[in-house]
Amino acid sequence: MMYFGACYYPEHWTPKQAKDHIPLMKQAGINVVRMGEFAWSRFEPEQGRYRFEWMDAVIQALHKEGISTVLCTPTCIPPQWAVQKHPGMLQRDADGLVRNPGSRCHCCKNAPEYQMLADRIVDQMARHYADMPEVIGWQTDNEFGCHNTTRCYCDHCQSAFRDWLLEKYKDTDSINQAWGTAFWGFEFQQWNEIPLPRRMPAGNNPSHWLDFARFSSDTQVKFQQAQYELLKQLCPKHFVTHNFMGGFPEIDYWKLAQFTDFPSWDNYPESGEDPFLPAYHHEITRSFTGRFWVMEQKSGPTGDANTGLMGEQPEPGDIRRWTWQAVANGADGVCYFRWRACLSGAEQYWHGILDHDGVARRRYREVAETGAELAKLGAALAGTAVQTPVAILRNYAMLWSAERQPGAPGFHYDAHCYEIYRAVKRTGHGCDFVDIGSDLGRYAVVFAPCACLADKALADRLDAFAQAGGTVVLTPQSGARTPTNTMWAYPRPGAFVAIAGLTVEEVRPYHHGQAEAIEPAGGQSPVPAATVGKWVEVLACREAQPVAQYAGGALKGACAATRNIRGKGAVYYLGVYLPPTALEGFAAAVLPPFPVGALPPDVEVTRRTGKQGSFLFVINHGKQPQTVTLPKAFPELLTGGTLGPEVRLEGNKLLIFKV
């Protein structure tokens, strides 16, 4: 079954208004709603006095019309009585300033009072709704870490951080060695000497910073684990998810996803944004467990809560295209945010399917059209999944290391991962994301962009993959650091020297727009000619063979990229950041061939495969018609005809083929 729904807030409306909404939902094909994430004050108006009857009535009315409910634990915003009784549970920022109530995400998950109150409301809700057939699942809390609140600097976190370090390092000698605290005399003799990395005159110790980032992420994971285990104990028939935020960089979603039945994420494409960016976040989220929902899908203009500005209106066809893009990349459920725009509060300009007046207009009709299509094809797509021979190693500790010390001017780890992803996507292939401990056996090619934190264990895993016939691609700055974020004392690329078959003789960061030309080397080369800058490395080959060299200037003839044969496979090392066109050429050369011909710039192609067959989605994100060449003619499921091999696709439209 394909779930198609909306985020609904009955606490914002009168009982009559809520009753009037339900027939419109049914007519639009909605079969699920998400409710309750900000309603703690309604569920527990006074400490220990719980009220669920108001929500029960809405849940039952929805169910009579065939609409199921996903409930949320409302721990994102505790009631004001809780804040007044326990002001110490408010977060503090890096300057020590209190994060005040009146908004959201303002409580510290290490505050004992907050943990106690959160456990109680989750327990009471779970017991009340455990046997209600109208409820099918739970979303915990809401968008952990939103508004830069993952990292708290209060006294509770100071104490919890020291406990976390004690469990990891056991004694202060170990932490001094791991962090290299002899630099700037930052050595510790007792645990109570270790501070949080608050605002400092100069930069934080990178190892101190990385462990604080890890600790802050683990705090969110621990909070999720507590809710997940309680809900699964009391509500074993319900699924449990959390709404991730795509490429959000502050929480290790690999760890967080372990305490979900599947993750969800919240998708808000911006006007003029690269249309492949939502696909990137879809595929990241799918990769954690193999399935996912979009729990919040943009359905109208957004509204910035801080500036009070209203966002741009989605163009006709956008909502439908965004929905099918999610499904094409593996989503089994899509919920629009929100059902109806709020009349009050900081998000008055954050629109939904309906405007403030509740009148069904163009966006509603487009949602209804999309719902009818999903209902028509849902049975065929049930049980299908995205399968791809390509993976990108995307690790949060590496991201945090590069956040503190990017090395190259303007370098962003996640932006680099996205550059590689987009190059892969332009070949037609989808892309899984993997972590350092993931099984690599089903892939043909694994990219490991800027794998800066590396040890022998990671190098051995990648080598075993290559020896068995896989292709590994490493990029600049790889292997330079230990897992504790200190520098290795031997040549770059550190732990990867043996598998890459080279050393880095010189690193050149360019701060003033300098550039170098590179050209293919060594016969047939997958690296095209290009102009590179920002950060370039001069490579000295050992076992590796050059595949690109610098074409002029002081570096003329020096090696810029290599291939090293390892068993049945190979390891590539790119000593430069290739520009997009060159990166697309490189990806096309090292990836398995894709059966669809060269794709126009704005066209995305994905496949879902299962027992019922394989389904090819062709989506034109641009405004102009495009032509795509298929291997032959195939049945097209939306129109009911047969099209191909030459297929014309109108702007902002899609086609779905049974292949």
Side-chain angles (χ1 to χ4, degrees), residues 559-597:
C559 184
T562 61
R563 178 198 296 117
N564 192 34
I565 302 301
R566 301 292 289 181
K568 298 178 182 178
V571 176
Y572 286 90
Y573 188 95
L574 304 179
V576 296
Y577 292 115
L578 293 174
T581 301
L583 195 55
E584 288 180 16
F586 174 79
V590 301
L591 294 179
F594 193 80
V596 177

Side-chain angles (χ1 to χ4, degrees), residues 80-92 98-101 106-108 111 113-114 117 154 156:
Q80 277 300 100
W81 60 256
V83 176
Q84 293 298 314
K85 284 186 176 183
H86 307 289
M89 68 185 188
L90 295 175
Q91 285 194 341
R92 290 183 179 269
V98 173
R99 289 171 171 154
N100 289 304
H106 45 272
C107 287
C108 174
E113 301 90 346
Y114 177 61
L117 293 171
C154 73
H156 298 300

Side-chain angles (χ1 to χ4, degrees), residues 10 17 19 32 36 53 71 88 90-91 120 122 134 151 187 219 238 256 311 331 408 430 447 526 569 586 648 651:
Q17 287 171 322
K19 184 178 179 180
V32 67
E53 71 281 355
L71 275 177
L90 295 175
Q91 285 194 341
R120 286 181 182 175
V122 174
E134 300 91 340
R151 297 162 188 163
E187 295 174 300
T219 294
H238 298 164
L256 193 69
F447 291 85
F586 174 79
R648 177 183 167 87

Side-chain angles (χ1 to χ4, degrees), residues 36-75:
E37 76 267 31
F38 301 134
W40 191 347
S41 64
R42 288 290 179 95
F43 289 132
E44 191 179 6
E46 299 174 13
Q47 185 166 5
R49 182 168 73 90
Y50 301 98
R51 293 189 59 233
F52 301 121
E53 71 281 355
W54 65 276
M55 181 64 83
D56 296 350
V58 178
I59 291 173
Q60 289 160 3
L62 287 162
H63 191 252
K64 287 180 181 178
E65 299 300 333
I67 302 172
S68 300
T69 292
V70 174
L71 275 177
C72 301
T73 63
T75 49

